[in-house]
């Protein structure tokens, strides 16, 4: 196919995907569904007279039609100074576990039942919905410069929703876990959820005001999302990121170091090369509060006059775009229990009710909380209902009171510690 494209193109690229997913669903604490989904397809890009064309198909035999569509797209495409990469080695990363790849349907169902049993032991009134997915995904990128980069992964993903209703008291928790290694780490994930439900049995009241707020790793996602958007090269090129043009400047507290790390073994976001065949590497984007870089794919790098950082990510029917591999905020020097013990009165944020509330790209966040706890006298006193937090990371992260040694993976590819901000706006009702 590359040869066919190169008859009329200056450069060309072919992306191939072959994926099989076994999906198990539980609803209302019972097994509900089972299905196997297969995805195969080809996507191609071609550069003709400096213009980039793109097309894709799920019919791997329709090569002639795909070639015609790519070339037709190029005639109408954007004129960009884009060049596909030369072959270069990437890091050795372990992201394919044969045992996980061959995990049986029976074992997936057992894991689901284990999770439900663990939750019901803590709260017999809980209503648990689980979706388990074991996927085997192989991608290959080839281009006219000689690149042939193949990545094979077998991730396990578990998404959960836990509801408990007692009269007008409703608790809803959303949790997500993923790994590329077959181990028992999902059990620690379940224990954390069970502990949240246990603590939520006690209630507490809190007045509105500016008080210390401790974000758990899952709660800290409201701080992480504006950072992710601000560091995305597409937003930098478009000029809508507040970090654009700020490289080398001290934007945040020295306690904040943020890394994109695709070299971590056992993480689904890791790989030797990105989806454009560019080798990947660990990159420090915020170093002790100082902005040191952004993430780019080939197109946004070309538009911004930069080099790709190996962060091109794509689906079958969409061209590549910049995306984090594993976004890690490095932990601090205090244990979380020590941080809590030093708070006279404050709020522990466990679960936001939806992400992306407010003008996220500006750094603003304004989130109602599905689960939060009052901290009183250095201890967790009970659950606070009808509470929200608001702020802006470009102001509030300039003074971070503490960050915990402990950190957790949340939403699949984000690793966060506990983060204490000593003066944040909290609004309660009643």
């Amino acid at each position: 196919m590359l040869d066919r494209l190169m008859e009329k193109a200056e450069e060309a690229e072919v992306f191939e995907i072959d994926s099989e997913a076994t999906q198990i669903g539980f609803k209302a604490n019972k097994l509900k569904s089972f299905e196997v989904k297969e995805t195969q397809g080809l996507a191609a890009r071609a550069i003709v007279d400096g213009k980039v064309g793109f097309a894709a198909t799920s019919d791997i035999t329709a090569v002639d039609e795909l070639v015609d569509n790519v070339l037709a797209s190029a005639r109408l495409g954007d004129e960009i100074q884009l060049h596909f990469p030369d072959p270069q080695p990437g890091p050795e990363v372990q992201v394919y576990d044969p045992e996980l790849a061959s995990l049986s349907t029976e074992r997936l169902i057992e894991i689901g039942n284990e999770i439900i049993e663990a939750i019901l032991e803590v709260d017999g009134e809980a209503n648990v919905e689980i979706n388990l997915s074991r996927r085997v995904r192989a991608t290959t990128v080839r281009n006219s410069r000689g690149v042939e980069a193949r990545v094979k992964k077998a991730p396990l993903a578990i998404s959960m929703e836990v509801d408990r209703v007692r009269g007008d008291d409703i608790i809803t928790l959303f949790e997500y876990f993923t790994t590329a290694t077959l181990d028992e780490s999902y059990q620690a994930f379940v224990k954390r959820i069970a502990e949240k439900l246990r603590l939520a049995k006690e209630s507490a009241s809190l007045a509105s005001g500016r008080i210390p707020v401790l974000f758990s790793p899952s709660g800290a996602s409201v701080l992480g999302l504006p950072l992710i958007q601000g560091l995305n090269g597409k937003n930098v090129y478009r000029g809508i990121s507040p970090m654009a043009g700020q490289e080398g400047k001290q934007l945040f507290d020295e306690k904040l170091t943020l890394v994109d790390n695709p070299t971590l073994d056992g993480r689904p976001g890791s790989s030797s090369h990105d989806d454009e065949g560019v080798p990947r590497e660990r990159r420090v984007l915020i170093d002790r509060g100082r902005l040191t870089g952004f993430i780019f794919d080939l197109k946004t790098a070309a538009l911004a006059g930069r080099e790709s950082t190996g962060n091109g990510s794509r689906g079958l029917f969409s061209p590549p775009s910049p995306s984090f591999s594993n976004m890690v905020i490095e932990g601090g020097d205090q244990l979380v229990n020590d941080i809590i013990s030093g708070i006279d009165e404050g709020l522990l944020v466990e679960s936001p009710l939806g992400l992306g509330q407010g003008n996220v790209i500006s750094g603003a966040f304004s989130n109602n909380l599905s689960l939060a706890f009052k901290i009183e006298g250095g201890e967790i006193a009970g659950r606070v209902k009808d509470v929200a937090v608001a702020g802006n990371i470009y102001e509030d992260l300039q003074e971070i009171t503490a960050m915990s040694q402990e950190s957790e993976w949340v939403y699949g590819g984000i690793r966060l510690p506990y983060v204490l901000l000593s003066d944040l706006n909290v609004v309660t009702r009643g």
Side-chain angles (χ1 to χ4, degrees):
M1 183 173 175
L2 274 175
D3 292 339
R4 289 281 313 280
L5 287 169
M6 288 304 294
E7 290 175 3
K8 296 185 178 180
E10 291 101 55
E11 297 186 41
E13 168 205 81
V14 176
F15 176 77
E16 182 177 357
I17 184 171
D18 188 347
S19 175
E20 178 186 288
T22 300
Q23 298 177 330
I24 309 292
F26 290 80
K27 197 165 187 177
N29 304 335
K30 296 183 182 298
L31 179 64
K32 183 71 175 180
S33 62
F34 161 69
E35 62 179 334
V36 176
K37 291 185 177 181
E38 295 185 0
T39 302
Q40 279 189 312
L42 295 169
R45 289 190 292 177
I47 302 174
V48 181
D49 296 329
K51 296 181 178 181
V52 181
F54 170 82
T57 179
S58 57
D59 183 356
I60 60 174
T61 66
V63 173
D64 291 342
E65 181 180 358
L66 181 58
V67 169
D68 291 341
N69 288 341
V70 174
L71 295 175
S73 172
R75 287 193 288 271
L76 302 173
D78 298 326
E79 189 167 345
I80 305 172
Q81 294 298 315
L82 186 152
H83 299 284
F84 297 124
D86 293 316
Q88 293 183 39
E92 292 187 9
V93 189
Q94 299 299 320
V95 290
Y96 180 77
D97 183 344
E99 289 188 55
L100 182 51
S102 59
L103 194 66
S104 68
T105 301
E106 291 76 16
R107 181 58 186 139
L108 286 170
I109 294 173
E110 286 178 1
I111 291 173
N113 283 321
E114 288 173 14
I115 294 171
I116 292 172
E117 182 179 345
I119 297 299
L120 293 180
E121 282 182 4
V122 175
D123 193 327
E125 298 179 78
N127 183 14
V128 185
E129 182 175 329
I130 307 175
N131 290 292
L132 299 98
S133 174
R134 193 268 295 135
R135 185 183 303 272
V136 178
R137 183 179 189 267
T139 60
T140 304
V141 182
R142 301 179 179 88
N143 71 29
S144 53
R145 290 174 174 256
V147 163
E148 182 167 347
R150 178 177 171 81
V151 175
K152 189 174 185 180
K153 302 181 182 182
L156 170 67
I158 304 173
S159 62
M160 291 180 58
E161 178 180 338
V162 181
D163 299 304
R164 189 194 69 194
V165 180
R166 290 178 182 167
D168 61 352
D169 183 16
I170 301 173
I171 294 178
T172 301
L173 295 179
F174 299 95
E175 302 286 347
Y176 185 81
F177 168 86
T178 185
T179 182
T181 302
L182 184 58
D183 55 25
E184 304 304 317
S185 56
Y186 73 90
Q187 294 179 346
F189 159 75
V190 175
K191 286 180 180 178
R192 290 196 296 269
I193 299 171
E195 178 64 9
K196 292 177 185 180
L197 285 173
R198 186 190 67 79
L199 291 171
K201 291 181 178 181
E202 300 294 330
S203 61
S205 61
L206 187 69
S208 298
R210 298 192 70 86
I211 61 173
V213 175
L214 177 62
F215 292 87
S216 74
S218 56
S221 56
V222 303
L223 308 175
L225 182 59
L227 289 170
I228 289 172
Q229 292 195 5
L231 293 166
N232 189 305
K234 186 174 182 178
N235 294 328
V236 174
Y237 163 72
R238 293 169 62 195
I240 61 174
S241 168
M243 298 192 214
Q246 302 295 311
E247 283 175 280
K249 294 184 180 180
Q250 190 78 25
L251 300 184
F252 306 103
D253 190 282
E254 290 187 353
K255 296 182 184 69
L256 180 62
T257 293
L258 186 150
V259 178
D260 180 59
N261 192 352
T263 69
L264 299 173
D265 290 339
R267 297 308 308 169
S270 298
S271 61
S272 61
H273 295 77
D274 72 356
D275 287 340
E276 299 181 290
V278 178
R280 312 193 85 166
E281 63 181 74
R282 179 182 184 273
R283 292 180 181 272
V284 179
L285 303 178
I286 300 174
D287 185 9
R288 290 172 292 179
R290 184 174 61 88
L291 178 65
T292 56
F294 304 101
I295 61 168
F296 292 96
D297 66 342
L298 288 172
K299 180 179 178 179
T300 55
L303 291 170
R306 307 288 191 100
E307 297 290 329
S308 170
T309 56
N311 288 90
S313 178
R314 71 206 302 179
L316 176 58
F317 291 101
S318 58
S321 61
S323 179
F324 277 85
S325 58
N326 301 301
M327 193 273 269
V328 178
I329 291 182
E330 296 188 352
D333 57 3
Q334 290 184 257
L335 296 173
V336 65
N337 286 340
D338 292 339
I339 296 174
I340 292 174
S341 67
I343 300 173
D344 291 331
E345 184 179 54
L347 184 71
L348 170 60
V349 174
E350 277 288 358
S351 299
L353 190 61
L355 286 174
Q357 306 297 315
N359 185 8
V360 177
I361 190 62
S362 72
F365 60 91
S366 178
N367 292 83
N368 292 314
L369 306 176
S370 62
L371 186 62
F373 298 99
K374 181 179 183 179
I375 301 173
E376 188 172 28
E379 296 181 347
I380 296 176
R383 174 182 168 228
V384 180
K385 297 192 294 182
D386 301 320
V387 60
V389 294
N392 189 296
I393 66 161
Y394 294 106
E395 299 171 3
D396 297 313
L397 294 186
Q398 289 184 18
E399 293 187 20
I400 299 172
T401 307
M403 300 180 80
S404 69
Q405 294 180 16
E406 303 95 329
S407 59
E408 299 168 9
W409 289 103
V410 298
Y411 298 101
I414 305 172
R415 189 170 181 86
L416 302 173
Y418 287 78
V419 180
L420 176 62
L421 303 178
S422 62
D423 185 39
L424 199 66
N425 190 34
V426 174
V427 179
T428 59
R429 187 177 67 186

